[in-house]
């Protein structure tokens, strides 16, 4: 498991996503909770183009 990652239960439709921070373009850090109550957020996870999935 990557450093800083924790195991969580599977989210279901309508569940609130856990807060997280990631690095965006240009090194800017973005935290999900910055958007809570102000913007809609769509999260999409997909395998990288070069993976065998």
């Amino acid at each position: 498991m990557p450093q800083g990652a924790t195991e969580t239960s599977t989210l279901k439709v309508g569940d609130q996503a856990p807060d997280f921070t990631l690095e965006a373009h240009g090194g800017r850090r973005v935290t999900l909770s910055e958007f809570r109550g102000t913007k809609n957020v769509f999260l999409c996870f997909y395998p990288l183009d070069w993976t065998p999935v």
Side-chain angles (χ1 to χ4, degrees):
M1 189 175 313
Q3 181 181 1
T6 59
E7 288 188 38
T8 61
S9 59
T10 302
L11 295 174
K12 295 174 183 55
V13 173
D15 286 352
Q16 191 172 80
D19 200 25
F20 61 88
T21 301
L22 52 81
E23 189 171 321
H25 181 72
R28 181 172 158 260
R29 299 196 57 81
V30 177
T31 301
L32 181 62
S33 61
E34 293 173 4
F35 301 101
R36 186 167 289 132
T38 62
K39 302 228 183 223
N40 292 324
V41 176
F42 176 79
L43 299 175
C44 179
F45 300 93
Y46 63 93
L48 297 174
D49 291 336
W50 57 85
T51 62
V53 176

